[in-house]
Amino acid sequence: MRLHPKPIQTFRDDFSYSNSEEAIARFPFPFPQDDYMYSVNIEPHVTPGPEGSVFEHLLDIDEHYLSEMAERDIVLRENAQRCLAMPHMDVACWDLIERAMTSLAADYPQHFSLVREGERWTWQNRLLDIHDSFTFGDSSTLPLPPLEYIGRQLQGDFALLDQRDGDLFMDAGIVTCPADWSLRFDAGMSFSEWHGPVPLAHEMGVFERALKYLTAIPVGRPVRRLNWTLTINARMDSSPETFPSWGSDRTTVTPDNVGEKVYLRVELQVLDRMPRSNALMFSIRTYLMSFDDLVTNPDWARRLHRVMKTLPPELVEYKGLSRFHPAVVEWLSRFDPAN
Ligand code: HEM
């Protein structure tokens, strides 16, 4: 199965975003058991993964490509600081250009192509009608700064972590669809600093073990993990910067409209070592699915009910679900025969 990008839909205002049956079938449902707690849930991102799945390629391109690129453009026009790169991250940004262009051209040759003649590179993105020649490593030959240039052509958010003193630092990124965190706020922070607000995980030693694992990732051996939260409406940009435009959505959920209003938001996070800079690439590919679509799969519906019902209160609070969590549990109970 191949998902071809469809015409532009919106993640704001009239929220015209929708998932096809194929997109529902390949949704990365994140719950392997009936309850959920934080863990070091990291596994090798071996590619090619199962054909047609979101794990098939290093970077997943799907039917929402044009919509997500249009949404990114809106966010960057409103606030240019949603893309930041400290000067010492320049080589890492070029690393990302190389990794993204070579893998997209190999994995989706119908959409992307790359011709390399020494340092002279020619890149074609047929989906966005882009055809550029540039000198690799020379930013003056690109129409935009390197990270913004490539970030505007990739689904999902990207952070580039500088590695020094056995720690990781958030020194560059393009983040236009975060689940309630800010690149501008976290810029320059270390791994445990930017994870500061997360409850329970520090005490459980999750971050200490994860950091050891991440700093040892070699070139060519990417790893992945899934994270999740709930979002009201199909809103990609749930950032602190734009909180005034989405915070009050949480008060609009009733037991009757959960199916259409509440979305499971799953992040497929891939970590990949960059060869020149030794930076770590962290990509956050977000998949949104309405509860109405999720419950078309009875196994997912039942499991989601059990996970939501038993979710530790600290996680309910941290993930911002307190206002509507009881309505969600009640609505989902209809789909759980054991209830
Ligand atoms: C180096 C790459 C990573 C980056 C850039 C990153 C970034 C973040 C950020 C910005 C947050 C939101 C914190 C806030 O509330 O402000 C977060 C949450 C979190 N991160 Fe990471 N993270 C990374 C890797 C990991 C890894 C490897 C784990 C594995 C255990 C992990 C576990 C978590 C957890 C459990 C949360 C809370 C999520 C939730 O409940 O929704 N992170 N991360």
Side-chain angles (χ1 to χ4, degrees):
M1 183 196 62
R2 284 277 175 279
L3 281 193
H4 292 289
K6 58 188 185 190
I8 293 176
Q9 299 178 323
T10 55
F11 299 99
R12 53 180 69 217
D13 304 322
D14 63 341
F15 295 103
S16 61
Y17 172 87
S18 67
N19 282 295
S20 67
E21 269 180 36
E22 293 79 8
I24 295 173
R26 76 199 291 274
F27 183 72
F29 188 75
F31 303 118
Q33 54 199 51
D34 282 348
D35 52 14
Y36 178 82
M37 179 36 91
Y38 295 142
S39 63
V40 186
N41 58 335
I42 308 174
E43 60 183 354
H45 187 43
V46 179
T47 54
E51 195 180 332
S53 77
V54 300
F55 308 117
E56 183 174 3
H57 300 304
L58 179 75
L59 303 168
D60 182 42
I61 300 292
D62 72 4
E63 64 181 21
H64 304 298
Y65 182 79
L66 296 178
S67 307
E68 290 185 31
M69 295 304 92
E71 168 68 13
R72 170 152 291 163
D73 179 57
I74 297 173
V75 176
L76 288 172
R77 280 172 195 270
E78 277 173 1
N79 184 353
Q81 300 218 327
R82 305 291 286 276
C83 179
L84 298 173
M86 296 182 190
H88 64 276
M89 298 304 281
D90 193 51
V91 176
C93 296
W94 282 100
D95 269 333
L96 177 62
I97 287 194
E98 177 177 42
R99 192 75 167 110
M101 288 186 178
T102 51
S103 65
L104 290 180
D107 296 337
Y108 307 91
Q110 71 277 39
H111 299 317
F112 308 97
S113 62
L114 177 66
V115 176
R116 292 194 272 188
E117 289 156 323
E119 299 304 286
R120 194 71 192 156
W121 290 27
T122 299
W123 168 246
Q124 226 181 325
N125 175 340
R126 285 176 277 276
L127 294 170
L128 294 178
D129 205 16
I130 290 171
H131 191 166
D132 287 321
S133 291
F134 57 91
T135 305
F136 186 83
D138 180 352
S139 302
S140 70
T141 61
L142 281 178
L144 288 169
L147 184 55
E148 182 176 351
Y149 177 74
I150 194 65
R152 280 176 170 274
Q153 303 182 55
L154 300 173
Q155 281 178 269
D157 284 339
F158 286 78
L160 291 170
L161 296 321
D162 193 31
Q163 184 162 326
R164 48 184 199 269
D165 309 326
D167 208 337
L168 295 165
F169 295 86
M170 206 180 301
D171 289 350
I174 179 163
V175 176
T176 64
C177 52
D180 204 0
W181 64 279
S182 160
L183 173 67
R184 175 98 179 82
F185 185 79
D186 287 357
M189 285 188 187
S190 68
F191 190 78
S192 71
E193 284 171 345
W194 79 64
H195 281 120
V198 181
L200 305 177
H202 295 269
E203 301 88 297
M204 291 162 62
V206 165
F207 291 127
E208 198 184 327
R209 276 177 287 136
L211 181 61
K212 274 201 186 117
Y213 191 117
L214 300 191
T215 50
I217 292 176
V219 172
R221 303 277 288 278
V223 301
R224 66 175 179 239
R225 65 181 290 267
L226 295 177
N227 188 41
W228 68 274
T229 189
L230 302 182
T231 296
I232 308 308
N233 300 320
R235 188 180 296 278
M236 272 289 182
D237 182 21
S238 51
S239 57
E241 286 92 336
T242 55
F243 183 80
S245 42
W246 58 267
S248 61
D249 290 354
R250 291 169 171 171
T251 64
T252 63
V253 181
T254 66
D256 293 326
N257 67 13
V258 166
E260 60 193 87
K261 276 263 166 198
V262 182
Y263 282 70
L264 181 57
R265 177 189 196 101
V266 176
E267 298 178 346
L268 167 56
Q269 305 178 344
V270 173
L271 295 124
D272 191 23
R273 178 73 60 200
M274 298 288 99
R276 295 180 179 77
S277 59
N278 199 42
L280 201 59
M281 179 205 88
F282 181 69
S283 62
I284 312 161
R285 179 71 167 76
T286 295
Y287 298 84
L288 286 170
M289 174 98 25
S290 71
F291 273 32
D292 271 344
D293 282 345
L294 277 164
V295 299
T296 58
N297 180 329
D299 294 339
W300 291 353
R302 196 175 53 242
R303 174 144 290 167
L304 200 54
H305 173 246
R306 295 175 187 181
V307 167
M308 289 301 151
K309 195 175 168 183
T310 57
L311 197 62
E314 293 89 345
L315 272 69
V316 172
E317 167 75 21
Y318 169 69
K319 288 177 182 281
L321 319 182
S322 306
R323 294 293 289 259
F324 57 90
H325 181 252
V328 159
V329 175
E330 188 194 322
W331 188 85
L332 285 170
S333 68
R334 303 174 198 171
F335 304 94
D336 189 345
N339 201 53

